[in-house]
Amino acid sequence: MSSADDPAAGSARRMSRAVAFGGASVAFWFCCPFWMLVWLLALPLGLAGLVRGVIEFRAATRLGHSRGEPLAALVLSAIGTAAAIVYLAFVFTHPDLPIQD
């Protein structure tokens, strides 16, 4: 693994991509009132954050680095993804909502 691919290298200088994806997926739910549009962005970002978080967590474990940042990314991504899935389930189980007309 090169230093550019190492998730723990330069962690003091910049935030990992997994944290950025997870944070964005959660931030959309708080910043945008149009949830029917938000889930379209939050779900892919959350899933990308989950995948990238697992990759970074495994790399940090293998290299013996701190796993705090990948764990934070996994939690944020899981929250954003779960919120999108729960919202979709809510919309599809309530046919009386005006959004489905």
Side-chain angles (χ1 to χ4, degrees):
M1 180 181 288
S2 70
S3 63
D5 295 335
D6 185 6
S11 62
R13 287 180 280 141
R14 63 180 177 87
M15 179 175 43
S16 74
R17 283 183 275 177
V19 173
F21 286 143
S25 70
V26 171
F28 279 131
W29 292 107
F30 292 110
C31 296
C32 184
F34 304 110
W35 286 1
M36 194 60 196
L37 300 175
V38 168
W39 79 266
L40 291 169
L41 298 171
L43 186 61
L45 284 173
L47 291 173
L50 283 172
V51 170
R52 186 66 190 171
V54 168
I55 292 168
E56 290 181 8
F57 183 80
R58 293 174 94 189
T61 301
R62 186 178 59 246
L63 297 173
H65 294 282
S66 172
R67 295 178 297 222
E69 193 169 331
L71 281 175
L74 286 171
V75 168
L76 287 171
S77 298
I79 291 171
T81 302
I85 292 170
V86 167
Y87 179 73
L88 276 177
F90 175 77
V91 167
F92 288 126
T93 58
H94 290 82
D96 55 336
L97 293 174
I99 195 81
Q100 294 183 356
D101 290 335

